Amino acid sequence: MRIVNIVNLCETTSKEMIMAMERRDFLKSAAAASAASAIGMAVPSEVQASADAAQSDWRWDKAACRFCGTGCGIMMATKNGRIVAVKGDPAAPVNRGLNCIKGYFNAKIMYGADRLTQPLLRMDAKGNFDKHGKFAPVTWERAFDEMETHIKKALKASGPEGVAVFASGQYTVMEGYAAQKMMKAGFRSNAIDPNARHCMASAVVGFYQTFGIDEPSGCYDDIELTDTVVSWGSNMAEMHPILWSRVTDRKLSDPDRVKVINMSTYRHRTSDLADIEIIFSPSTDLAMWNYIAREIVYNNPDAIDWDFLKKNIVFAASPVNMGYGMRRAGEKSLTPVRPDGSAGKYSAKEMETIKHEMKHVVSAKEAPALKAYGYKEGDVMVNKPAGLKHWEISFEEYKKFLEPYTLDYVAKIAKGDPDESIESFKEKLQTLANLYIEKGRKVVSFWTMGMNQHTRGTWVNTLSYNVHFMLNKQALPGSGAFSLTGQPSACGTAREVGTFCHRLPADMMVKSPKHRKITENRWKIPNGTLNPVGNQHIMKIHRDIEDGVVKFAWVNVCNPYQDSASAKHWIKAARDMDNFIVTSDGYPGISAMVSDLVLPSAMIYEKWGAYGNAERRTQHWRQQVLPVGDAMSDTWQWVELSKRFTVKDLWGEQPLRGNKKLPNVIAKAKAMGYSENTTMYDILFANAEAKSYKIDLNTFPQKGYDNTECLGDSRNVIGSDGKVWKGYGFMIHEYLFEEYASFGRGHGHDLASFVTYHKVRGLKWPVVDGKETQWRFNVKYDPYAAKAVAKSGNGSTHAFYGTLAKALTQGDLMGIKDKTKKSLKNKAKIFARPYMDPPEMPDAEYDTWLSTGRVLEHWHSGTMTMRVPELYRAVPEALCYMNPKTAKEKGLKQGDLCWVESRRGKVKAHVETRGRNRPPRGLVFVPWFDEKVFINKVCLDATCPQSKQTDFKKCAVKIYKA
């Protein structure tokens, strides 16, 4: 429709257009000319002239889209200090000039009527902080005074574990790096974890365990090169629409050869292009991956590339009795246990599910899959935390593991549409396997939350690589298993920078003494400063607030009190416990309303920044406009906070749980030239290296652009010290990026320079000798792989050179038999991991599956997009999508208001039986963008025990008329 309108506009006579040309028409002409240019259409000279006139005083500059992990490039026009237009960047290799519907509104998300413009503190009538008081404006100085007071109180009460941050995959690289540096080096706390934990943590642990290093081996170019696209639990048409446009283009370019398969628990817009749609029962993707692997091993052994396997792959197994990542017996908020079945702060209904964390009765559905592990139906499985433990097994053991996954067994447990025949479902599964196995056929497997948000999310991620490895269809142009990312910098900031509780930059880990020492030396802090205990993931932070351990929590660039499952527990804890909650945001969402202090944050184009996308592409942009009101960037907020804390405040001996302690490093700090009164600002952010990055407004990329953090701006904001903010006086953005980048250079994670990224439309790391890497681990394309193979002399086409977990003990499916560790240098792993039921499934009372997710028009919790009038009007509320037959069974019809109730809570939503999402009988879908339909009160906070990623994709509910 958009293209048709452009054509019509361009065909209108130039005379008619010029006569009617008022300001609005000038803008329309400019938009039409830009859009026509993006799709390669000729534009009449008069129209182009009119467009040029309309844009004569606009300044255009490149930037990255604020939304999903696709990483689209945009062009942004500013005039008189305001963003006036946005269009797709024709030079951007990701989107090639196209935007999705959200992308076109990158400007409008900045200018909602209720933007936060000044700090707000809960106070009593006398102006004192009161946790039960009302919000009132305060100065930045007062805000930082309160933060300093409450952080020191939290440190005194609980040590470093008492100070926590809800971080984000929406941080810029610089923001995340500044936050991590202050938290881990300053406060010595690893209680910083991003909402990316909800997004792609299972993919990350899958990468670690399989490859020994994070992030995909392929790139988006695989789309144009492949013959087969299989979407596993990913509604790409709505969640990654620009990538889906490329898939669509590939399909239409060769419709007979190119096949598209959609794997999902319900029909949606991705289904519309698919040659085959497989609707499966929640969690059974594990069984289907193992079925395909069995088809290869048992029925098509000639398809196995044994030369590739022998040179590059080992087989591995891990414990199966690891639980479901819920609270465990004995935790403070689960005591006391009462006769009625309730425990602590949890109801008897909630405990019906939580009890499975400790013990699980093997079901008839999972018994065949667990037989090789010594379990049969009815056995009680005692669950124990297993961490990331795994060991090497033989191919014969792996083959034994696969034996139960016959077509009959898998079809029986996996068929998700009760109205589909078993014969039809089996035929689809067989066709799916045949497409993977077909010699010469290239296959790309894409997935997002459907596989990641899973109580066995790590397992199912690793199973995807099994199939691709055995067929030698991984890390090749047009072939590979590829995890798509949800958030704009979940890769760049959460993963690469390392803002997870267990990580440091460039794939280093806080638990590794070697990695801590490397980081301490680079940060110029005493050895022994960093905390080796990194277990406070995002759900544990919520639970630690409820348990009274975390006393201070700061929300950055996310909305954790809306986006976390079982949300009523965390909201109650934030409001009722002895703690201080701070939220930095652009708008007053649920998290802001729950907080004690709200800080106004500059939004994306009001600051310099960088993101890293799902194909390892790093992109930078410059500050386009000044922030609104007194808003300041999150980087500024962190750096200003660092001025409040000294060596004496933070680097003495500090307590940890379990009678552990962090050592006193003050003497070491003095030996390094610091005093007890040296601030964290001087050590971490304003050291001699930082100040060497000069402000130079006469050269690229600084020339002509604002820089609020470094120079101040015309708003004359009164800063954290009560004085007009005049800037740091050095290029802090470049310093933070270059210091972070130094961790990965020369170690397979090479980034280009700060200035280079401002000249290009992003580059995929590792960037070696100025060239990006398209297919990692492949000798032909990856210099690190070529170097590893040359050194080994084995003549392989690949080298999986990651270093994590590359020495394993030996054993069988039942466990370790030989504790001697064997090196797996340059090798990857194929894992034996069985189908298992989720901890909560439909039963007689809660008889329906609930799944959650997003819709095209809205982003996450709707904090930005619900304030864009066009997007709000398009989808003003979250609906309960259900099958018409389900609605009839429940006495409901289109448009009725229904209750969606679980063991944890209930919400009202309008019934939608004819919408874009079309569930089978027995399953409903409710998106979570709408705070009025607060579906995360209903969801279960079970997680993958290995990745700690929450499973939002399945829990049991009952539906009835409201």
Side-chain angles (χ1 to χ4, degrees):
M1 181 66 71
R2 185 180 302 276
I3 294 174
V4 170
N5 289 339
I6 292 167
V7 173
N8 291 339
L9 182 58
C10 292
E11 288 178 347
T12 303
T13 65
S14 56
K15 182 180 244 185
E16 290 172 329
M17 293 191 66
I18 292 170
M19 289 176 63
M21 196 70 72
E22 297 176 356
R23 180 180 181 277
R24 183 176 182 87
D25 298 304
F26 268 95
L27 296 177
K28 284 182 177 179
S29 276
S34 295
S37 175
I39 62 173
M41 287 181 59
V43 181
S45 59
E46 292 85 353
V47 175
Q48 187 63 57
S50 298
D52 291 343
Q55 302 179 45
S56 61
D57 56 352
W58 294 4
R59 180 187 71 185
W60 286 98
D61 196 24
K62 75 176 181 74
C65 179
R66 174 60 180 81
F67 299 108
C68 76
T70 298
C72 293
I74 60 173
M75 295 298 292
M76 182 159 284
T78 54
K79 177 183 177 181
N80 298 330
R82 191 175 175 94
I83 301 168
V84 294
V86 175
K87 62 183 179 182
D89 183 356
V94 172
N95 54 311
R96 306 166 184 177
L98 296 177
N99 278 349
C100 77
I101 186 64
K102 290 190 295 296
Y104 285 111
F105 291 105
N106 269 288
K108 284 199 172 184
I109 63 172
M110 311 276 289
Y111 301 121
D114 59 342
R115 268 291 299 267
L116 294 167
T117 59
Q118 55 190 328
L120 302 170
L121 177 69
R122 290 186 183 274
M123 294 191 290
D124 62 20
K126 297 180 180 180
N128 299 311
F129 167 66
D130 181 352
K131 193 168 180 68
H132 302 291
K134 295 183 178 180
F135 282 118
V138 294
T139 64
W140 276 111
E141 183 178 26
R142 173 70 187 280
F144 281 103
D145 286 345
E146 293 291 342
M147 291 175 75
E148 178 186 350
T149 296
H150 288 280
I151 289 171
K152 288 178 176 177
K153 178 182 175 182
L155 289 169
K156 184 176 181 180
S158 300
E161 291 167 314
V163 177
V165 173
F166 292 104
S168 178
Q170 299 169 80
Y171 271 142
T172 69
V173 167
M174 297 78 152
E175 288 167 347
Y177 187 68
Q180 169 172 240
K181 215 177 175 190
M182 185 58 198
M183 279 295 286
K184 293 178 180 177
F187 295 131
R188 308 175 80 181
S189 172
N190 292 325
I192 174 172
D193 209 57
N195 61 348
R197 177 74 69 174
H198 296 315
C199 168
M200 27 47 66
S202 294
V204 172
V205 181
F207 282 122
Y208 281 165
Q209 293 204 334
T210 302
F211 299 97
I213 189 172
D214 193 10
E215 302 209 26
S217 52
C219 61
Y220 297 158
D221 292 350
D222 286 325
I223 295 171
E224 281 74 32
L225 298 171
T226 195
D227 305 312
T228 319
V229 172
V230 188
S231 175
W232 289 79
S234 176
N235 184 0
M236 290 177 69
E238 293 203 54
M239 304 313 124
H240 297 85
I242 296 301
L243 294 183
W244 195 243
S245 73
R246 290 175 62 171
V247 171
T248 302
D249 184 61
R250 175 62 183 139
K251 171 65 179 174
L252 296 178
S253 71
D254 191 353
D256 294 330
R257 172 65 179 172
V258 176
K259 302 299 180 185
V260 176
I261 300 91
N262 184 41
M263 317 280 292
S264 181
T265 57
Y266 60 93
R267 287 183 60 84
H268 44 63
R269 285 182 170 174
T270 299
S271 309
D272 297 339
L273 184 69
D275 296 279
I276 301 171
E277 179 179 62
I278 297 177
I279 302 298
F280 62 91
S281 179
S283 274
T284 60
D285 42 4
L286 292 153
M288 291 186 294
W289 275 117
N290 284 330
Y291 159 71
I292 300 168
R294 187 188 189 281
E295 279 294 292
I296 296 168
V297 170
Y298 279 81
N299 297 330
N300 295 273
D302 291 345
I304 300 174
D305 189 328
W306 277 109
D307 181 63
F308 174 82
L309 291 187
K310 288 173 181 177
K311 290 176 179 177
N312 298 293
I313 304 295
V314 300
F315 296 87
S318 57
V320 296
N321 59 328
M322 60 176 58
Y324 307 95
M326 296 183 285
R327 278 195 174 277
R328 294 193 64 81
E331 292 182 7
K332 187 172 182 181
S333 291
L334 284 190
T335 58
V337 177
R338 304 181 188 90
D340 67 356
S342 65
K345 298 175 181 178
Y346 290 77
S347 69
K349 284 291 183 185
E350 289 174 295
M351 291 304 297
E352 288 177 1
T353 299
I354 293 173
K355 70 181 181 182
H356 295 302
E357 179 63 21
M358 281 60 78
K359 292 181 179 180
H360 165 64
V361 178
V362 175
S363 73
K365 189 174 180 180
E366 62 190 352
L370 294 174
K371 182 180 178 181
Y373 296 88
Y375 293 98
K376 63 181 184 300
E377 182 182 352
D379 283 353
V380 175
M381 179 183 289
V382 178
N383 294 320
K384 301 174 182 178
L388 302 179
K389 181 180 179 182
H390 59 280
W391 55 90
E392 186 175 352
I393 61 172
S394 66
F395 172 73
E396 288 71 26
E397 281 291 293
Y398 177 66
K399 184 175 182 180
K400 173 183 171 184
F401 155 79
L402 289 177
E403 196 281 327
Y405 296 95
T406 63
L407 182 59
D408 286 340
Y409 168 61
V410 173
K412 180 181 178 182
I413 68 169
K415 185 170 76 73
D417 182 354
D419 297 324
E420 181 179 13
S421 72
I422 194 69
E423 291 77 15
S424 168
F425 190 77
K426 287 166 71 171
E427 183 180 354
K428 291 177 182 178
L429 285 182
Q430 184 70 67
T431 302
L432 174 68
N434 292 344
L435 288 170
Y436 275 101
I437 294 167
E438 182 183 327
K439 188 174 179 61
R441 174 172 284 278
K442 298 176 182 178
V443 185
V444 178
S445 303
F446 285 119
W447 67 90
T448 42
M449 300 312 114
M451 272 175 51
N452 294 341
Q453 292 176 343
H454 199 309
T455 50
R456 291 295 181 265
T458 298
W459 285 12
V460 73
N461 267 265
T462 59
L463 292 182
S464 69
Y465 302 113
N466 294 1
V467 168
H468 284 269
F469 281 150
M470 284 194 288
L471 301 169
N472 192 6
K473 294 185 179 183
Q474 179 68 28
L476 291 170
S479 281
F482 195 114
S483 163
L484 295 170
T485 306
Q487 297 186 79
S489 201
C491 293
T493 309
R495 295 157 75 167
E496 295 161 25
V497 169
T499 51
F500 283 92
C501 65
H502 63 289
R503 291 181 74 156
L504 293 166
D507 282 332
M508 293 193 294
M509 302 291 165
V510 298
K511 71 177 182 180
S512 166
K514 178 182 177 182
H515 293 172
R516 292 198 305 275
K517 188 172 182 179
I518 290 170
T519 306
E520 289 164 342
N521 291 344
R522 184 67 187 87
W523 285 349
K524 298 179 177 62
I525 62 176
N527 290 163
T529 302
L530 294 181
N531 182 347
V533 182
N535 61 11
Q536 285 177 280
H537 55 86
I538 203 162
M539 290 311 306
K540 185 164 177 57
I541 291 172
H542 277 307
R543 293 166 186 171
D544 279 349
I545 293 172
E546 188 174 53
D547 287 348
V549 175
V550 168
K551 301 289 188 180
F552 177 94
W554 190 1
V555 175
N556 286 187
V557 206
C558 62
N559 193 354
Y561 288 96
Q562 185 176 339
D563 72 24
S564 295
S566 199
K568 69 177 184 180
H569 275 276
W570 323 128
I571 290 174
K572 182 175 175 60
R575 296 306 309 138
D576 293 352
M577 301 292 289
D578 176 21
N579 54 45
F580 191 78
I581 311 295
V582 182
T583 289
S584 295
D585 206 338
Y587 291 105
I590 287 178
S591 295
M593 291 186 282
V594 165
S595 297
D596 303 301
L597 174 66
V598 179
L599 305 179
S601 283
M603 291 184 68
I604 177 170
Y605 309 115
E606 297 168 343
K607 57 196 176 188
W608 291 65
Y611 280 160
N613 82 342
E615 62 167 354
R616 294 172 280 110
R617 181 181 299 277
T618 307
Q619 301 183 80
H620 284 234
W621 65 89
R622 298 180 279 198
Q623 183 176 342
Q624 302 297 316
V625 292
L626 299 184
V628 302
D630 287 346
M632 297 293 282
S633 76
D634 291 81
T635 299
W636 181 87
Q637 293 175 36
W638 274 103
V639 175
E640 291 304 288
L641 182 66
S642 74
K643 294 177 177 178
R644 302 296 186 107
F645 295 88
T646 65
V647 167
K648 180 172 61 178
D649 292 331
L650 302 178
W651 286 358
E653 185 178 83
Q654 296 286 351
L656 300 174
R657 280 177 282 197
N659 296 318
K660 297 179 181 179
K661 294 181 180 179
L662 295 176
N664 185 323
V665 295
I666 294 176
K668 290 182 181 179
K670 290 180 178 178
M672 296 175 71
Y674 305 132
S675 75
E676 288 191 349
N677 295 318
T678 305
T679 67
M680 293 297 121
Y681 171 71
D682 293 318
I683 296 170
L684 302 177
F685 301 115
N687 50 55
E689 181 182 351
K691 291 178 179 178
S692 72
Y693 289 90
K694 303 298 185 183
I695 296 294
D696 186 351
L697 299 181
N698 294 314
T699 63
F700 179 86
Q702 298 179 43
K703 185 178 181 180
Y705 284 83
D706 291 306
N707 197 327
T708 295
E709 294 93 329
C710 301
L711 296 171
D713 60 48
S714 59
R715 297 175 302 154
N716 291 322
V717 172
I718 305 300
S720 69
D721 58 359
K723 301 175 183 177
V724 173
W725 173 248
K726 296 294 186 181
Y728 295 116
F730 58 93
M731 190 58 176
I732 194 168
H733 315 293
E734 187 171 9
Y735 161 62
L736 291 170
F737 180 79
E738 289 293 341
E739 183 179 272
Y740 147 66
S742 69
F743 283 98
R745 290 175 180 149
H747 304 286
H749 199 129
D750 308 62
L751 296 168
S753 70
F754 179 86
V755 173
T756 296
Y757 283 116
H758 284 282
K759 295 177 180 178
V760 300
R761 263 56 176 187
L763 293 169
K764 298 187 285 288
W765 61 263
V767 181
V768 181
D769 297 328
K771 297 179 181 179
E772 64 181 2
T773 300
Q774 289 178 285
W775 289 277
R776 287 164 79 208
F777 314 127
N778 186 315
V779 168
K780 187 175 179 180
Y781 303 96
D782 184 343
Y784 280 95
K787 183 179 179 180
V789 169
K791 188 174 181 179
S792 70
N794 73 350
S796 179
T797 55
H798 292 73
F800 300 102
Y801 50 77
T803 59
L804 298 173
K806 284 301 181 77
L808 291 184
T809 54
Q810 313 299 298
D812 57 23
L813 293 173
M814 299 296 289
I816 297 168
K817 305 303 179 187
D818 181 352
K819 294 184 179 180
T820 305
K821 287 195 173 182
K822 177 181 172 183
S823 173
L824 314 173
K825 188 174 183 180
N826 293 329
K827 292 190 175 184
K829 301 163 193 165
I830 286 177
F831 279 91
R833 279 167 164 168
Y835 164 76
M836 291 186 71
D837 294 336
E840 184 173 273
M841 301 173 73
D843 58 18
E845 183 176 3
Y846 300 94
D847 60 355
T848 303
W849 286 111
L850 166 70
S851 181
T852 62
R854 294 197 288 117
V855 294
L856 171 65
E857 294 81 359
H858 289 296
W859 172 245
H860 282 196
S861 59
T863 309
M864 295 178 289
T865 52
M866 286 289 273
R867 288 167 169 84
V868 175
E870 293 86 346
L871 297 177
Y872 176 82
R873 287 196 297 268
V875 183
E877 65 176 316
L879 303 171
C880 181
Y881 294 90
M882 68 175 66
N883 189 286
K885 294 179 181 178
T886 300
K888 187 175 182 179
E889 290 170 4
K890 306 296 182 183
L892 297 164
K893 62 181 183 299
Q894 171 75 19
D896 280 352
L897 198 60
C898 72
W899 284 108
V900 181
E901 180 177 346
S902 74
R903 291 171 172 85
R904 291 154 295 282
K906 62 181 183 178
V907 298
K908 288 180 183 178
H910 283 105
V911 172
E912 176 58 78
T913 62
R914 302 178 300 203
R916 65 181 77 178
N917 300 301
R918 293 149 279 172
R921 283 192 296 121
L923 185 144
V924 297
F925 173 80
V926 183
W928 63 278
F929 68 84
D930 187 354
E931 62 186 44
K932 299 183 298 299
V933 183
F934 196 174
I935 196 62
N936 280 330
K937 292 192 299 183
V938 176
C939 294
L940 174 65
D941 62 318
T943 73
C944 167
Q946 294 185 307
S947 71
K948 317 302 182 187
Q949 180 163 355
T950 314
D951 186 351
F952 292 97
K953 292 302 176 187
K954 62 193 75 73
C955 69
V957 297
K958 54 186 173 183
I959 310 290
Y960 53 96
K961 195 164 187 174

